[in-house]
């Protein structure tokens, strides 16, 4: 029995005929994950309507022994954040310089290595520990702010921007979803990741967009509505264990001056129009620290909380955010598919069938559209079934918005697991690149060097597998928990156990299905990025 | 530099040696063409042409016609000047013409273009915002001045 299961799983693993690939999750890990998933499903079915409630009383990090002082300084002293922003901006300028003037060999140029192998992989992982902290030191925004406001850190002159209110049709995160889709197309289709020059162009473009947006619109419209990275980190930050929150809620309730929202003479107002007293979700918080510095009672601080607590209980469903989550799910899955050895074969066959030639971008675009269409269609079908079985008194849209949260942990954990593979297996060359960022007098990696990197990952393969397995299970567990909780808000009140169980079944099947696809992708050997 | 592409019934791989040739340096293009359906190598002749990849140039020059040599079509070249060029490989199979264009950069690319464009856009926006805001302020001051005068004359009456 055991042998036949192992043999079946082994048959699902693609064996590439050529090329250097990263190993996928081993069969034993896959089997262990499936067993635990089965237990979780059974437990979830048996739990019925008994839903736990949010745990109150989060921990204020500035009161922690040893590290409390550091967290306290981090939120109050502007020079710490400013120093980090300056460092990030200098590195970013180096990336642009190296991309434009350095070697075109991607694995020898800091522009491509730092951007795609290190930053792009690590920034998503960072959300798991520090939420949207990256946004606080984001060089796109830092450079744009310095150019437009003409102040290093104090509040800029209001006349430095036209302060136009963002048009209503743009006051959603649809623009960010569109840009994220374009970014994925550029990354995986047009091959920006293997071109230092194109990477530098993209970096310049983002600075131009951030600067123009800041010069035209009020506050930081780019961060709030347009930035594909900021919105992705914002969505994931709903699961982060830390968040900027009031230390004492009553102080915020009694506050009449609202410095966090309006700013002070020295400190900028909240760039994304958040009011600390009413904040319930991390989605739009850029961790910039303006609220912590402007609060006259120093009532804002970093707080430790349960992972996934916000997205389970506090996040409010909005249509654009629900679509963004769906986009993330579809694009992360697509990301995984494109790094499978058979993806190129599929694209080649498709291009042959439709007469596409050259870089076969049309075929890629069709493949990407289909890859995005399938999970979204499945989700729509599931929402329809939940709506029907649960005899929901609410509009379809509300069910759609509420249940989308349950898919976010799947996208997040798969994204981290996938990026972890890139980070530990492809970043060994980083130190070499750091000492020769422009790759002067270097040649492309030899087969021997590629082989050496491949054989010596930063972390032992078994540890990577263990982390990936833990992430896959955590994502599955959290998705089930959120689905259970969110379901209570959309099914008819006073529904019987049978109705609740019946309405839970479609979303349970979808979550399990997506998790198995993620697991299957993690099992496959993955093509090295560079 | 290596470029893989597919056209019609063929899968074509193009390699330039050295990867980033410099002016007056001997270089070579290797081209492999195999059928997509069965992987069979194309046997025939491939003509290589070159043209300047600039907006106002469509002059094309034949570099040479090559027969297969150990499964590869090899074409040597020397460019006297730096710039962006398009290498065109042409062959015929099953009565159908196949024409494939590949980019070839000779020498270092010009990096000032993108930086110049980015700086120009930012500069135009910032100057535009500044001018608009100054006009706004002047309008506000003028209307304030007008209101003050009116209030003063009302007081006199």
């Amino acid at each position: 029995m055991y042998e036949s299961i192992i043999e079946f799983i082994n048959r699902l693993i693609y064996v590439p005929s050529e090329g250097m690939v990263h190993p996928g999750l081993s069969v034993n890990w896959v089997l262990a994950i499936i067993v635990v998933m089965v237990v979780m499903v059974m437990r979830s079915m048996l739990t019925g309507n008994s839903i736990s409630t949010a745990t109150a009383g989060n921990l204020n990090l500035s009161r922690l022994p040893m590290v409390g002082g550091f967290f306290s300084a981090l939120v109050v002293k502007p020079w710490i954040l400013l120093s980090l922003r300056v460092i990030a901006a200098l590195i970013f300028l180096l990336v642009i310089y190296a991309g434009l003037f350095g070697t075109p060999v991607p694995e020898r140029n800091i522009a491509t290595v730092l951007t795609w192998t290190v930053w792009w992989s690590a920034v998503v992982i960072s959300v798991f520990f520090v939420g949207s902290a990256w946004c606080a030191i984001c060089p796109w925004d830092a450079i744009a702010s310095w150019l437009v406001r003409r102040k290093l850190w104090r509040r800029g002159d209001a006349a430095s921007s036209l302060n136009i209110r963002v048009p209503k049709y743009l006051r959603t995160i649809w623009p960010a979803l569109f840009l994220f889709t374009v970014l994925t197309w550029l990354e995986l289709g047009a091959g920006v990741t293997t071109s230092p020059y194109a990477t530098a162009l993209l970096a310049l473009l983002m600075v131009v967009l951030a600067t123009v947006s800041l010069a035209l619109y009020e506050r930081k419209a780019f961060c709030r509505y347009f930035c594909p990275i900021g919105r992705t980190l914002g969505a994931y930050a709903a699961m982060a264990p830390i968040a900027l929150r009031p230390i004492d809620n009553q102080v915020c309730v009694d506050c009449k001056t609202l410095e966090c929202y309006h700013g002070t003479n020295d400190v900028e107002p909240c760039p994304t129009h958040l009011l600390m007293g009413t904040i319930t979700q991390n989605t739009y918080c850029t961790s910039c620290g303006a609220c912590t510095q402007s609060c006259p009672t120093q009532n804002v601080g970093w707080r430790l909380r349960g992972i996934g607590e916000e997205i389970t209980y506090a996040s409010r469903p909005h249509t654009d955010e629900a679509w963004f989550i769906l986009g993330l799910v579809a694009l992360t899955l697509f990301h995984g598919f494109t790094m499978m050895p058979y993806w190129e074969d599929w694209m080649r066959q498709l291009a042959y069938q439709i007469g596409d030639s050259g870089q076969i971008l049309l075929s890629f675009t069709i493949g990407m559209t289909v890859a995005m269409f399938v999970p979204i269609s499945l989700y729509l079908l599931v929402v329809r079934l939940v709506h029907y079985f649960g005899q929901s008194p609410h509009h379809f849209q509300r069910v759609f918005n509420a249940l989308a949260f349950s898919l976010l942990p799947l996208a997040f954990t798969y994204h981290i697991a996938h990026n972890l593979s890139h980070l530990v297996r492809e970043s060994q060359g980083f130190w070499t690149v750091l000492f020769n960022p422009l790759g002067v007098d270097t040649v492309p990696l030899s087969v021997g060097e590629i082989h050496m990197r491949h054989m010596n990952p930063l972390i032992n393969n078994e540890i990577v597998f263990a982390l990936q397995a833990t992430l896959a299970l955590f994502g599955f567990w959290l998705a089930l928990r959120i689905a259970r909780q969110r379901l209570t808000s959309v099914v008819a009140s006073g529904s019987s156990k049978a109705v609740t169980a019946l309405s839970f079944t479609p979303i349970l099947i979808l979550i399990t299905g997506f998790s198995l696809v993620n697991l299957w992708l993690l099992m496959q050997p993955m093509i090295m990025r560079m | 530099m290596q470029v893989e592409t597919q056209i019609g019934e063929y899968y074509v791989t193009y390699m330039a040696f050295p990867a980033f040739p410099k002016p007056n340096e001997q270089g070579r293009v290797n081209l492999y063409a195999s059928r997509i359906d069965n992987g069979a190598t194309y046997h025939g002749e491939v003509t290589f042409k070159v043209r300047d990849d600039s907006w106002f140039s469509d002059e094309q020059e034949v570099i040479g016609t090559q027969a297969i040599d150990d499964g590869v079509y090899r074409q040597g070249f020397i460019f006297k000047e730096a710039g962006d060029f398009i290498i065109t490989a042409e062959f015929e199979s099953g009565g159908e013409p196949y024409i494939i264009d590949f980019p070839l950069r000779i020498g270092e690319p010009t990096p000032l273009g993108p930086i110049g464009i980015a700086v120009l856009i930012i500069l135009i926006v910032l100057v535009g915002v500044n001018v608009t805001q100054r006009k706004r302020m002047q309008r506000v001051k003028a209307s304030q001045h007008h209101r003050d005068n009116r209030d003063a004359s009302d007081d006199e009456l």
Side-chain angles (χ1 to χ4, degrees), chain B residues 20-150:
Chain B
F20 309 103
K22 294 182 173 70
N24 295 313
E25 187 182 40
Q26 176 81 42
R28 193 179 77 239
V29 166
N30 279 11
L31 189 128
Y32 306 79
S34 54
R35 286 189 66 87
I36 292 170
D37 51 1
N38 57 16
T41 306
Y42 167 72
H43 282 267
E45 285 189 334
V46 176
T47 301
F48 292 90
K49 296 176 180 177
V50 65
R51 69 170 190 273
D52 194 346
D53 187 21
S54 58
W55 284 9
F56 306 107
S57 169
D58 51 0
E59 220 175 278
Q60 201 168 40
E61 194 183 315
V62 175
I63 320 177
T65 300
Q66 304 298 331
I68 196 162
D69 172 22
D70 197 20
V72 189
Y73 295 88
R74 295 188 179 87
Q75 176 66 58
F77 61 76
I78 295 181
F79 285 84
K80 286 181 183 157
E81 289 173 11
D84 289 306
F85 296 91
I86 295 289
I87 301 281
T88 302
E90 290 181 12
F91 61 93
E92 203 177 290
S93 173
E96 296 285 335
Y98 285 80
I99 301 170
I100 313 143
D101 285 344
F102 300 103
L104 182 69
R105 171 75 217 169
I106 303 291
E108 302 294 323
T110 50
L112 285 175
I115 290 185
I117 293 169
V119 169
L120 193 70
I121 293 172
I122 290 173
L123 213 61
I124 289 171
V125 170
L126 293 182
V127 169
V129 167
N130 202 286
V131 169
T132 313
Q133 289 294 57
R134 276 170 192 271
K135 282 186 177 173
R136 264 190 196 173
M137 302 278 256
Q138 278 172 352
R139 270 202 305 272
V140 169
K141 274 184 185 168
S143 66
Q144 181 69 38
H145 185 69
H146 182 69
R147 209 176 304 133
D148 289 348
N149 281 348
R150 204 175 50 197

Side-chain angles (χ1 to χ4, degrees), chain A residues 32-293:
Chain A
I33 293 168
I34 291 174
V35 168
V36 179
M37 277 173 68
V38 169
V39 173
M40 284 182 187
V41 169
M42 288 168 67
R43 187 174 174 274
S44 182
M45 292 300 283
L46 293 171
T47 311
N49 287 331
S50 62
I51 303 293
S52 58
T53 51
T55 52
N58 295 330
L59 185 68
N60 182 1
L61 287 181
S62 57
R63 289 192 188 147
L64 285 177
M66 311 283 278
V67 292
F70 169 74
F71 280 104
S72 188
L74 196 62
V75 296
V76 179
K77 304 227 183 312
W79 64 266
I80 297 181
L81 212 53
L82 176 67
S83 311
L84 292 172
R85 279 164 79 91
V86 169
I87 292 168
L90 287 174
I91 294 172
F92 179 71
L93 292 176
L94 174 65
V95 163
I96 293 179
Y97 184 80
L100 295 177
F101 295 87
T103 173
V105 180
E107 62 271 23
R108 301 295 194 194
N109 191 310
I110 200 165
T112 33
V113 173
L114 189 64
T115 306
W116 302 111
T117 306
V118 180
W119 172 75
W120 192 222
S121 302
V123 75
V124 175
I125 297 172
S126 78
V127 181
F128 203 82
F129 302 99
V130 290
S132 57
W134 166 258
C135 294
I137 58 165
C138 168
W140 304 344
D141 173 58
I143 294 172
S145 299
W146 294 331
L147 285 172
V148 177
R149 306 269 194 246
R150 282 167 271 157
K151 287 273 172 69
L152 258 186
W153 61 275
R154 285 183 189 279
R155 184 172 190 165
D157 182 4
S160 60
S161 163
L162 289 185
N163 291 313
I164 302 169
R165 192 158 161 72
V166 178
K168 199 175 176 188
Y169 63 91
L170 281 178
R171 255 179 274 150
T172 63
I173 54 172
W174 284 106
L177 178 57
F178 172 74
L179 283 178
F180 191 69
T181 311
V182 171
L183 196 65
T184 307
W185 187 87
L186 287 173
E187 181 197 347
L188 304 170
V192 172
T193 50
T194 52
S195 166
Y197 193 73
T199 302
L201 290 189
L202 192 62
L204 275 172
L205 177 71
M206 298 314 283
V207 172
V208 170
L209 286 177
T211 309
V212 171
S213 171
L214 194 64
L216 297 182
Y217 296 120
E218 60 177 357
R219 303 211 181 177
K220 290 188 176 170
F222 181 76
C223 305
R224 175 71 173 77
Y225 304 113
F226 312 141
C227 179
I229 307 303
R231 290 307 93 237
T232 303
L233 302 187
Y236 288 157
M239 288 170 278
I242 65 168
L244 276 173
R245 290 288 184 275
I247 294 167
D248 181 353
N249 284 326
Q250 194 54 44
V251 173
C252 286
V253 171
D254 296 337
C255 178
K256 302 283 183 249
T257 46
L258 307 179
E259 280 86 353
C260 58
Y261 186 79
H262 299 295
T264 64
N265 288 338
D266 280 342
V267 186
E268 293 274 345
C270 174
T272 54
H273 293 93
L274 298 177
L275 185 61
M276 194 40 75
T278 59
I279 192 169
T280 55
Q281 58 188 94
N282 254 9
T283 315
Y284 298 104
C285 176
T286 59
S287 308
C288 66
C291 51
T292 59
Q293 289 160 30

Side-chain angles (χ1 to χ4, degrees), chain A residues 14 21 333-346 414 418 520-527:
Chain A
Y14 181 86
V21 290
L333 279 173
F334 174 66
H335 215 278
F337 272 118
T338 60
M339 290 183 191
M340 300 298 120
Y342 40 75
W343 171 259
E344 283 183 14
D345 290 341
W346 289 356
Y414 175 71
H418 174 93
W520 176 73
L521 285 172
L522 289 174
M523 280 161 61
Q524 308 303 318
M526 188 175 78
I527 290 175

Side-chain angles (χ1 to χ4, degrees), chain A residues 181 185-186 188-190 334 343 347 350 354 356 359-373:
Chain A
T181 311
W185 187 87
L186 287 173
L188 304 170
F334 174 66
W343 171 259
M347 287 302 101
L350 178 62
I354 64 172
D356 187 14
Q359 226 184 328
I360 58 172
L361 283 177
L362 176 64
S363 310
F364 179 85
T365 310
I366 293 171
M368 185 171 168
T369 310
V370 171
M372 289 188 74
F373 181 77

